[in-house]
């Protein structure tokens, strides 16, 4: 009987875990305006790595992972390349960029029903130039774990949009994709 109860508790615990994933990244109108204002520039992001510790666990409800089986760095890399493609300034022949996520964290319990993502990224060109940005994106999460963690996962896309907006609005980004 004791083993049966233990097995039931283990099964209930395992069935409660769920992986939360955001929707696929969608380019931002603000980012498109900023990128389309860059004349004679083109680039592509070859790779983004992360030197930051990332804890994907959300309220014991399960992990938060990027969509389509990607890692968070791959999600950010694809997002930047998608923005460049939509703006017509993506080129695999010019200006290969690499990036490093130096900070990534989230909370689904700020003020009990709010949350935030904090992401910092540095992009570097082959010439040694770089541009960095950091964003804290705040959102409503929810009270119960499943709602809050799903809201946290869905907030990753807008957080990355804001991060990219900071990057592409920096004059150093324009120099980066024109000079490599």
């Amino acid at each position: 009987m004791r083993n049966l109860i233990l097995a039931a508790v283990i099964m209930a615990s395992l069935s409660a875990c769920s992986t939360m994933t955001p929707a696929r990244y969608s380019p931002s109108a603000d980012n498109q305006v900023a990128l389309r204002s860059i004349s004679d520039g083109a680039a592509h992001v070859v790779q983004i790595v992360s030197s930051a510790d990332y804890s994907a666990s959300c309220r014991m409800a399960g992990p938060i992972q990027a969509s389509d089986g990607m890692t968070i760095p791959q999600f950010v890399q694809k997002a930047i390349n998608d923005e460049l493609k939509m703006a017509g300034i993506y080129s695999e022949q010019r200006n290969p960029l690499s990036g490093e996520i130096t900070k990534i964290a989230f909370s689904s319990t700020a003020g009990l029903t709010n949350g935030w993502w904090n992401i910092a990224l540095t992009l570097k060109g082959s010439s040694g130039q770089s541009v960095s940005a950091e964003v804290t994106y705040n959102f409503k999460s929810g009270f119960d774990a499943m709602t809050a963690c799903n809201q946290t996962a869905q907030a990753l896309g807008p957080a990355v949009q804001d991060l990219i907006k900071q990057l592409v609005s920096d004059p150093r980004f324009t120099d980066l994709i024109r000079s490599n």
Side-chain angles (χ1 to χ4, degrees), residues 117-137:
W117 276 94
N118 182 247
I119 309 170
L121 174 68
T122 298
L123 284 179
K124 296 177 185 171
S126 56
S127 68
Q129 290 182 297
S130 67
V131 61
S132 297
E134 181 174 348
V135 67
T136 299
Y137 179 79

Side-chain angles (χ1 to χ4, degrees), residues 52-72:
D53 289 331
Y54 174 64
S55 174
S57 180
C58 183
R59 292 193 190 187
M60 295 180 61
I64 293 182
Q65 297 175 343
S67 57
D68 297 326
M70 291 184 281
T71 64
I72 299 287

Side-chain angles (χ1 to χ4, degrees), residues 6-116:
L6 181 60
V9 169
I10 290 172
M11 291 302 291
S13 297
L14 292 176
S15 66
C17 289
S18 221
T19 299
M20 274 47 90
T21 58
R24 288 181 172 170
Y25 182 82
S26 180
S28 155
D30 290 338
N31 293 343
Q32 289 303 299
V33 169
L35 287 167
R36 290 178 184 183
S37 71
I38 300 172
S39 60
D40 72 344
H44 71 286
V45 180
V46 178
Q47 180 181 29
I48 292 182
V49 297
S50 180
S51 62
D53 289 331
Y54 174 64
S55 174
S57 180
C58 183
R59 292 193 190 187
M60 295 180 61
I64 293 182
Q65 297 175 343
S67 57
D68 297 326
M70 291 184 281
T71 64
I72 299 287
Q74 290 168 334
F75 183 85
V76 173
Q77 176 183 337
K78 184 176 182 326
I80 296 169
N81 282 332
D82 286 353
E83 293 280 6
L84 294 170
K85 288 174 185 176
M86 287 286 292
I89 58 172
Y90 176 88
S91 172
E92 290 189 4
Q93 286 72 43
R94 294 179 55 195
N95 301 331
L97 306 175
S98 60
E100 179 181 0
I101 295 174
T102 56
K103 186 186 295 184
I104 183 162
F106 66 83
S107 172
S108 65
T109 59
L112 192 58
T113 60
N114 296 308
W116 51 260

